[in-house]
Amino acid sequence: MRASVATNASKASRGWKAMGAMSDVLQGIQAEDGAAVAAADIPKAVTAGRLVYGDGATQIFASDGKTTYTERGGDSAGEWYVDDQGRFCSFWPPSYRACYALRWMVDGARIVGLRFTGLNDGVTFEGHYE
């Protein structure tokens, strides 16, 4: 499902307003809570800032396709990409590969994070922008 595009008149009530450092990266993206992140917006969405997960782990996605997941003080290095079907995917050496449905998390009028749902297992986790 593709993200809905809000009209200028309805943006204030339904859309987003990026705050702080994310405003430059996410500028021009219209998002509603739960709406799918369009394939063209995935790179901006994941690189907009450090994500903090419910268990306290954090993750940084770099624009070169590298990612670092930090949990309990230990770092894991992986890679991320948008596949030829427009899906967000990740690779963790030596062999773990997974693709996810990526959805916006919007609170009030601002984008606050991303919701990842595994396409193979249906497991969902949320990352809030730090």
Side-chain angles (χ1 to χ4, degrees), residues 115-129:
R115 186 172 293 115
F116 301 78
T117 302
L119 297 179
N120 288 335
D121 60 14
V123 173
T124 297
F125 54 96
E126 298 179 345
H128 289 83
Y129 291 119

Side-chain angles (χ1 to χ4, degrees), residues 46-47 59-68 77-81 92:
V46 298
T47 62
Q59 189 166 13
I60 298 173
F61 296 92
S63 59
D64 65 359
K66 304 291 184 197
T67 183
T68 303
E79 300 173 5
W80 70 271
Y81 58 96
W92 299 92

Side-chain angles (χ1 to χ4, degrees), residues 5 11 28 42 47 56 70 85-86 97-98 103 106 113 115 121 127:
V5 177
K11 259 193 233 179
I42 291 173
T47 62
T70 304
Q85 296 177 36
R97 191 175 304 272
R103 298 192 175 279
V106 178
R115 186 172 293 115
D121 60 14

Side-chain angles (χ1 to χ4, degrees), residues 2-17:
R2 193 168 169 91
S4 299
V5 177
T7 64
N8 285 338
S10 65
K11 259 193 233 179
S13 62
R14 298 186 319 146
W16 71 279
K17 188 184 294 180

Side-chain angles (χ1 to χ4, degrees), residues 100-111:
Y100 301 86
L102 195 58
R103 298 192 175 279
W104 294 110
M105 292 172 47
V106 178
D107 183 14
R110 71 182 182 108
I111 296 172

Side-chain angles (χ1 to χ4, degrees), residues 8-30:
N8 285 338
S10 65
K11 259 193 233 179
S13 62
R14 298 186 319 146
W16 71 279
K17 188 184 294 180
M19 302 292 196
M22 289 185 303
S23 63
D24 292 339
V25 176
L26 299 178
Q27 186 171 1
I29 294 177
Q30 298 175 15

